[in-house]
Amino acid sequence: MTTAPSEPTDPTGPAPGDPGARTLESFGYAQELRRSLRLPDLVVYGLVMMLPIAPFTIFGAVFNESRGMVALTYLIGLVAMAFTALSYREMSRAFPIAGSVYSYAGRGINDKAGFLAGWAILLDYLLVPTLLYVMSAAALHALRPEVPQWCWIVMFVVVNTVINYLGIETTARLNRLFLLAELVALAVFVGFGAAAVARGENGARFSFDPLVNADLLTPGLIFGALSVAVLSFLGFDGISTLSEEVAGGDRRLVGRATLLALCLVAGLFVVQTWIAALLVPGRTEFTGDEATNSAFYDIAWIAGGGWLKNMTAVSAALATGVANSLVAQAATSRLLFSMARDRKLPAFLAHVHPTRRTPERALLFVAAISLVLGLSFTGQVSLLSSLVNFGALFAFLLLHLAVFVHFTLRHRSTRWHLHVAAPALGLVIIGSVLWNADTRAKTGGLAWLAAGVLVLVFYRLSGRGTDLNLED
């Protein structure tokens, strides 16, 4: 790989098509992946990655943590993630390359920070497909107990791998269909739910209690609920892994798509959880794991009966096991491809199919890992969720730090609101969520980071290093 040229004076750089706009080749990489994605494709990808009906599966847990103020929790989650989305936007414009936070921290701070950021986000990316398969298998097993959960896991892994292997265009087309199906299911629930509230089903009435209940609201309560709800927002960062597949190389599209997808999905989260919470007035928690896990589906039964309960359960299972995990596998394979291309992971993962222009070996590797972990952690949704959160949030901390170092310290940017205030607030919010995270998440996450440090030391001692060949 050739050494990348020095950074331009303007850290954000000119727009594509302007003289001096940075290309992928200017970073020392050849264009290998197919450039075919436009703004709608990226937004749809982000929406599917975050899953518009994600609250279906974790509504009970967030309800318990927030004492019924689920909608407020998602509004705060939007604010929290908005600062992170802004940091992604700024770094994606400065460095329009695959690798997400790994590339941004590596070039924004230094190669060691980049490696640790990539290692941390790997915990998220490698486990997300597994988590989604396990969640879907559990939901379908409840409907068809005669089918073992491992059968569903194997089926989902095979289907998603084949689709991703066919190419990014196939994935993008199916994403639109999946998103449409999820939005239809969501619209049906909201419609019947609102009608049930209007009729006064279960004593329901329209109010703002799910948004704020001053008698119960405390900072600790909100951050505790946010540590669970943030799982629904994870995925918008996956848009940045497609930077090298944007049509025309327009680096502004990734940032725009990230913010747009985040705002759209947050609006959907707030509406559906507000309606659901209205149908259980006066309640502040669900008792027992079974009641908590099936809370949203039981509320759907109140709104429309057994058919609506079954529809929401099946929709959540298929959206999670196919649609969401499909894009999660695609994002993970791009991260592995980017790190392997920089010799931070085995070189065979950097291979690109000559015709389909997809990182085929990385895709197959993710499929194998998901299959092994899925069969090993069947039914352990809570543990997997906790570990996924830690990896993503720690990487977000390094992302915010990278924005400050790259733009403010290195390039003396005067855009204080974007390059000082926004990352600082992002650091505080993400740090608070991590502090209030599940003990198992912190223990497992720190163990994973310790392993990453050992790998980093090994690279240095063996002479391989972690140098990204950066110059400023």
Side-chain angles (χ1 to χ4, degrees), residues 275-297:
I275 293 294
L278 289 176
L279 288 166
V280 284
R283 192 163 191 166
T284 57
E285 69 174 321
F286 294 94
T287 305
D289 290 340
E290 184 174 349
T292 300
N293 292 336
S294 65
F296 197 94
Y297 312 126

Side-chain angles (χ1 to χ4, degrees), residues 408-434:
T408 303
L409 299 184
R410 189 174 298 163
H411 290 284
R412 301 293 187 268
S413 170
T414 57
R415 303 175 72 185
W416 299 99
H417 61 298
L418 286 176
H419 302 147
V420 177
L425 288 170
L427 275 170
V428 171
I429 294 172
I430 298 300
S432 299
V433 174
L434 268 178

Side-chain angles (χ1 to χ4, degrees), residues 374-398:
L375 297 178
S376 301
F377 289 92
T378 300
Q380 300 186 47
V381 174
S382 179
L383 175 59
L384 289 171
S385 300
S386 299
L387 292 173
V388 164
N389 275 354
F390 185 94
L393 295 175
F394 183 85
F396 291 167
L397 290 178
L398 291 178

Side-chain angles (χ1 to χ4, degrees), residues 5-270:
S6 59
E7 299 283 351
T9 302
D10 178 6
T12 60
D18 292 346
R22 301 205 70 183
T23 63
L24 181 63
E25 289 74 14
S26 72
F27 291 98
Y29 300 120
Q31 179 63 52
E32 298 180 88
L33 303 177
R34 191 187 304 278
R35 289 197 177 276
S36 59
L37 302 180
R38 302 187 181 278
L39 181 62
D41 298 316
L42 295 173
V43 172
V44 169
Y45 180 93
L47 288 174
V48 174
M49 190 81 172
M50 286 182 282
L51 198 63
I53 58 176
F56 283 16
T57 59
I58 64 170
F59 177 84
V62 182
F63 189 96
N64 289 350
E65 290 287 347
S66 64
R67 304 295 297 277
M69 291 175 283
V70 187
L72 176 63
T73 300
Y74 280 114
L75 276 177
I76 296 175
L78 169 62
V79 175
M81 292 296 102
F83 292 114
T84 301
L86 283 172
S87 290
Y88 265 105
R89 186 190 71 176
E90 294 303 295
M91 295 305 284
S92 69
R93 290 180 175 181
F95 305 107
I97 52 182
S100 187
V101 69
Y102 154 70
S103 297
Y104 302 154
R107 288 169 170 77
I109 306 175
N110 57 44
D111 58 294
K112 301 175 188 64
F115 177 83
L116 289 178
W119 185 265
I121 204 73
L122 265 180
L123 182 62
D124 170 18
Y125 278 25
L126 286 175
L127 289 180
V128 160
T130 301
L131 170 62
L132 297 172
Y133 294 137
V134 169
M135 290 171 65
S136 298
L140 291 176
H141 183 70
L143 297 177
R144 298 293 300 273
E146 70 275 12
V147 180
Q149 293 189 46
W150 67 264
C151 289
W152 296 115
I153 292 174
V154 172
M155 183 193 73
F156 287 139
V157 170
V158 172
V159 169
N160 287 335
T161 302
V162 170
I163 294 173
N164 271 317
Y165 192 81
L166 292 175
I168 194 65
E169 294 93 343
T170 302
T171 303
R173 286 194 295 269
L174 287 175
N175 281 342
R176 295 190 186 98
L177 295 177
F178 291 143
L179 179 61
L180 177 61
E182 291 175 38
L183 293 178
V184 168
L186 180 56
V188 170
F189 169 78
V190 170
F192 277 86
V197 174
R199 293 194 307 269
E201 294 286 349
N202 200 39
R205 62 179 180 83
F206 287 104
S207 73
F208 291 105
D209 288 346
L211 286 173
V212 60
N213 187 332
D215 295 333
L216 300 175
L217 187 62
T218 64
L221 183 74
I222 291 301
F223 278 113
L226 192 57
S227 66
V228 179
V230 74
L231 180 64
S232 299
F233 287 103
L234 297 184
F236 72 89
D237 54 297
I239 296 175
S240 64
T241 65
L242 303 179
S243 292
E244 294 179 29
E245 294 162 271
V246 174
D250 189 344
R251 59 184 174 175
R252 296 170 298 182
L253 293 188
V254 168
R256 291 174 182 172
T258 300
L259 285 168
L260 184 56
L262 183 65
C263 291
L264 287 173
V265 83
L268 296 175
F269 288 169
V270 169

